[in-house]
Amino acid sequence: MNILILGGGGREHAFAWKIAQSPHCDTLFVAPGNAGTAGIATNVPVSATDFDALSRLVLEKNIHLVLVGPEEPLVRGVRDYFSARPDLEHVLMVGPDAAGARLEGSKDWSKAFMRDNHIPTAKSATFTADGLEAGLNYLGSQPLPVVLKADGLAAGKGVVIAESRGEAEKTLRNMLNGQFGEASRKVVVEEFLEGIELSVFVLTDGTGYVILPEAKDYKRIGEGDTGPNTGGMGAVSPVPFADDSFLKKVEDRVVKPTVAGLQKAGIRYVGFLFIGLMNVNGEPYVIEYNARMGDPETEVVMPRLQSDFVLLLKAAAEGKLAGTQLETDPRTAATVMLVSGGYPGPYEKGIPVTGLDDLKDVISFHAGTKTGPGGVFTDGGRVLALTGMGDTISQAVEKAMAAADKVQFGKKYFRRDIGSDLEVYV
Ligand code: AMP
Ligand code: GLY
């Protein structure tokens, strides 16, 4: 079949890499894609949120299946748009509708969902601008640190862990005053959970599901988990502290009630569920849901997936996932993100990238890149994800690091400590 991937980052290149290996994929398109997807698929210069243009593309290229990468088209209702068009009814889509994407698009909605379905999560309360006084009083009653979250999508910047009362009060005022526009007109104030994070990924057709390999990502820009949050600077899969008994708790206490809760809410959720978890003394608590796969987590999950990805996507879109068994590579995958100097703040674009052709023993996934005269150029903050595989975390990381040293572009930066915190659990 002909397949279209929406998006243009490392996650979408990893999807494309896996899909291109399947005998069930005829022609693969990516909208808009990057320099990496250009090598294995046809890039189409259409934005993932331009639904009219996407629908024309789907009809013109006879596309059978659309895989939605990022959250924005989902939250804006790409699935709803396609379902409402009789001429697009036959098109299979992997990605939930806008109602399902509220799990990611509204933290308040997702907290209420977890409460209603008895899914373990941090205690919280939600405030709006007219409840500022109540919010300030509530903050006064909470232990420190305390976590404040803008309700809506805020490009990964809407979470503040306040260490002092002053900072907490100031953050609440700023957010409710519209610091993140509409996204922070509601603020969730949440108990701080002490533990170690990991993410579990589920592909569901609304009733049946498969659990994909779990991963841990490294969100902060600096080594030793310091400095501002980023989209993710690296990832490792599997996660050694996520043993069978922990993953069983995740499935029983989180995955099953989440899938059942969505059904109860009248949502037919077809797509990926990214469950961000805190392991608190061996007990899983949900930190957040995303309605999509993670980036750079996909860059370690896809290389470990041995099952045919196209058949999985098709089964999900057709409601036939129940009973599916996944085949996974037991080895460890580790990815390191090369980023533009300055990221997650301002950075330059359009810098030539060299050394890509000499890479050995690593899979290079492009993120913010574009093809230009004579080669590849940087086109974003996160530029390339380099994934190594090995029998141990250190073997996998060493391969990724060796490649990270070889690739060159002006002001390249990456973290050398990916996976090092996991060695104590091995
Ligand atoms: P979120 O956007 O909800 O994933 O939050 C971003 C990051 O903030 C998470 O990945 C955690 O590192 C941290 N965080 C969020 N909520 C909590 C919490 N309740 N306790 C501790 N850390 C948290
Ligand atoms: N790496 C975290 C995310 O994709 O949200």
Side-chain angles (χ1 to χ4, degrees):
M1 52 181 166
N2 297 332
I3 300 175
L4 169 65
I5 300 173
L6 304 190
R11 166 183 48 217
E12 288 74 25
H13 187 188
F15 281 151
W17 173 83
K18 188 70 190 159
I19 288 173
Q21 293 169 28
S22 168
H24 302 282
C25 175
D26 295 320
T27 313
L28 178 60
F29 299 90
V30 189
N34 58 33
T37 60
I40 51 173
T42 304
N43 283 352
V44 194
V46 169
S47 149
T49 51
D50 185 346
F51 301 162
D52 288 334
L54 289 172
S55 65
R56 284 195 296 275
L57 175 69
V58 162
L59 293 172
E60 190 186 312
K61 303 292 185 194
N62 191 23
I63 283 158
H64 304 101
L65 185 140
V66 179
L67 168 59
V68 187
E71 63 278 16
E72 212 186 326
L74 297 169
V75 171
R76 292 210 206 169
V78 66
R79 186 184 193 84
D80 310 74
Y81 178 98
F82 271 64
S83 323
R85 285 263 305 261
D87 56 335
L88 297 170
E89 233 172 34
H90 63 285
V91 180
L92 298 173
M93 186 177 280
V94 177
D97 62 9
R102 267 187 300 177
L103 276 184
E104 173 163 6
S106 168
K107 301 232 186 240
D108 179 44
W109 192 84
S110 83
K111 293 299 284 192
F113 175 87
M114 287 186 260
R115 261 195 310 275
D116 291 350
N117 292 287
H118 310 290
I119 294 164
T121 187
K123 271 202 313 272
S124 74
T126 300
F127 300 95
T128 52
D130 55 14
L132 176 64
E133 281 309 312
L136 293 172
N137 284 337
Y138 183 80
L139 282 179
S141 71
Q142 295 303 298
L144 292 170
V146 63
V147 185
L148 294 100
K149 301 184 175 184
D151 175 56
L153 297 183
K157 299 196 172 107
V159 175
V160 172
I161 297 172
E163 302 284 347
S164 70
R165 299 243 173 268
E167 186 189 359
E169 290 177 8
K170 192 167 141 222
T171 304
L172 182 67
R173 284 181 201 278
N174 287 346
M175 283 192 179
L176 289 177
N177 260 325
Q179 183 186 4
F180 299 104
E182 280 309 304
S184 68
R185 297 283 177 204
K186 261 189 200 172
V187 174
V188 174
V189 177
E190 186 170 285
E191 165 199 18
F192 178 81
L193 295 175
E194 188 86 55
I196 179 155
E197 286 182 73
L198 77 158
S199 302
V200 168
F201 308 96
V202 176
L203 176 64
T204 176
D205 59 16
T207 48
Y209 62 84
V210 288
I211 300 181
L212 299 160
E214 76 286 355
K216 181 177 192 299
D217 92 323
Y218 293 81
K219 287 202 171 74
R220 305 290 197 92
I221 188 75
E223 288 176 6
D225 293 328
T226 51
N229 262 330
T230 70
M233 296 295 292
V236 173
S237 174
V239 179
F241 62 80
D243 55 17
D244 288 349
S245 108
F246 181 80
L247 291 175
K248 173 98 175 58
K249 288 180 193 170
V250 174
E251 179 164 13
D252 290 343
R253 298 181 197 170
V254 181
V255 177
K256 285 182 180 166
T258 299
V259 174
L262 287 164
Q263 272 174 271
K264 217 164 55 191
I267 294 166
R268 183 173 165 247
Y269 192 105
V270 179
F272 292 99
L273 265 170
F274 165 149
I275 307 172
L277 294 164
M278 190 73 84
N279 175 339
V280 183
N281 299 321
E283 304 301 319
Y285 286 80
V286 177
I287 292 281
E288 65 163 348
Y289 289 106
N290 293 309
R292 53 172 174 84
M293 279 297 290
D295 191 356
E297 291 90 333
T298 309
E299 291 93 305
V300 290
V301 171
M302 286 298 124
R304 292 195 58 224
L305 185 66
Q306 289 173 324
S307 306
D308 187 296
F309 190 45
V310 172
L311 293 183
L312 273 178
L313 295 171
K314 184 167 178 281
E318 291 177 336
K320 295 178 183 162
L321 259 190
T324 304
Q325 296 291 324
L326 280 192
E327 306 263 332
T328 51
D329 188 330
R331 288 178 302 161
T332 293
T335 200
V336 59
M337 219 11 125
L338 306 189
V339 306
S340 305
Y343 172 81
Y347 54 84
E348 277 173 56
K349 285 188 192 178
I351 301 171
V353 182
T354 58
L356 285 168
D357 297 333
D358 315 326
L359 299 182
K360 278 192 219 69
D361 230 7
V362 78
I363 316 168
S364 46
F365 294 120
H366 289 230
T369 66
K370 65 175 178 203
T371 341
V376 171
F377 293 80
T378 66
D379 195 35
R382 295 193 295 170
V383 177
L384 282 162
L386 302 169
T387 301
M389 306 276 296
D391 291 329
T392 61
I393 294 176
S394 49
Q395 274 178 18
V397 169
E398 263 170 42
K399 289 181 188 172
M401 293 298 154
D405 280 320
K406 281 206 181 114
V407 174
Q408 297 299 339
F409 56 87
K411 304 199 184 136
K412 172 185 81 173
Y413 170 76
F414 63 96
R415 274 179 66 168
R416 287 189 185 272
D417 66 340
I418 302 303
S420 58
D421 58 330
L422 296 176
E423 297 291 350
V424 295
Y425 300 99
V426 175

